[in-house]
Amino acid sequence: MTPMYTLYYSPGTASMVVHLALLEIGAPHELRLVDVDAGAQRDPAYLKLNPRGVVPTLVIDGRPLSESAALLMILAERHPESGLAPAPGTPGREAWQQWIVYLSNTLMSTYRFWFYPPELGSAEHTPEVRAALQRKIEGVWDLLDAQLSASGPYLLGREFSGADLLLTMLMRWSRNMPRPATGWHALKRLADLVRARPSWQRLYEIEGLSGW
């Protein structure tokens, strides 16, 4: 079967949510590993697809597209039967869009500074900068845990959506922080639900991931 999509990915990175979405959809796709540790993201051939030299890149109908949150939204729109997003024009869809943008603008951008100190101008964070970034990330967990506690177990209430895939991927990135996201009760409940899904378990097999 001819692949509908080609995903350039690196295990456990921001490509994870796109890979999960493809597995949820069940659409034919091809995976191409970008060995970040070996610097493959800076290969001229890859830079033609993704001038920023990051993953993921998803090729759709010969067109390379990037930004994991945007790719999740594109896939949800192209495959409405997948249940990754509520129907257009509904309050659920509007809430879904809100959470996708919120997670991208707050957590993903802050994580970038947490994991890559040189982007803030130093080889390592000062204790003050590290503490400030930690407070910002934990503030997001506080807000999301309150949302899930009041209206969960998922971001949209009783119904799973692609926003929960994005959130759980971002929760996973906190696993080695001083207080991981699973230290919040409602967040852990959501993570457990998502990690029990066949797509999550299949991705771990394919990408060779283990643990949390």
Side-chain angles (χ1 to χ4, degrees), residues 58 62 91 93 99-100 107 135 144 166 184 208:
L58 185 67
R93 183 60 163 254
W99 288 121
I100 297 290
L107 275 174
R135 283 194 303 273
L144 292 172
L166 180 59
W184 283 257

Side-chain angles (χ1 to χ4, degrees), residues 38-53:
Q41 73 276 21
R42 295 187 293 274
D43 184 277
Y46 185 68
L47 289 174
K48 287 182 179 180
L49 296 173
N50 191 318
R52 292 178 56 223

Side-chain angles (χ1 to χ4, degrees), residues 29-155:
H29 60 274
E30 177 183 1
L31 297 174
R32 295 192 182 177
L33 176 66
V34 178
D35 189 343
V36 173
D37 292 337
Q41 73 276 21
R42 295 187 293 274
D43 184 277
Y46 185 68
L47 289 174
K48 287 182 179 180
L49 296 173
N50 191 318
R52 292 178 56 223
V54 296
V55 290
T57 299
L58 185 67
V59 179
I60 304 176
D61 300 330
R63 296 175 294 111
L65 299 168
S66 60
E67 295 297 329
S68 55
L71 296 175
L72 172 62
M73 298 174 82
I74 290 168
L75 289 171
E77 291 176 3
R78 288 172 65 94
H79 299 272
E81 75 288 348
S82 68
L84 288 175
T90 64
R93 183 60 163 254
E94 294 165 356
W96 182 81
Q97 292 170 321
Q98 167 194 275
W99 288 121
I100 297 290
V101 173
Y102 176 74
L103 292 171
S104 178
N105 282 357
T106 56
L107 275 174
M108 296 191 80
S109 59
T110 307
Y111 269 133
R112 186 78 190 174
F113 295 135
W114 176 269
F115 288 118
Y116 300 100
E119 296 201 1
L120 289 177
S122 60
E124 295 184 2
H125 292 315
T126 65
E128 293 78 13
V129 168
R130 186 174 178 83
L133 292 171
Q134 182 180 337
R135 283 194 303 273
K136 183 170 181 179
I137 292 171
E138 291 183 356
V140 174
W141 299 144
D142 287 337
L143 184 148
L144 292 172
D145 192 70
Q147 165 71 21
L148 294 169
S149 295
S151 306
Y154 298 107
L155 278 172

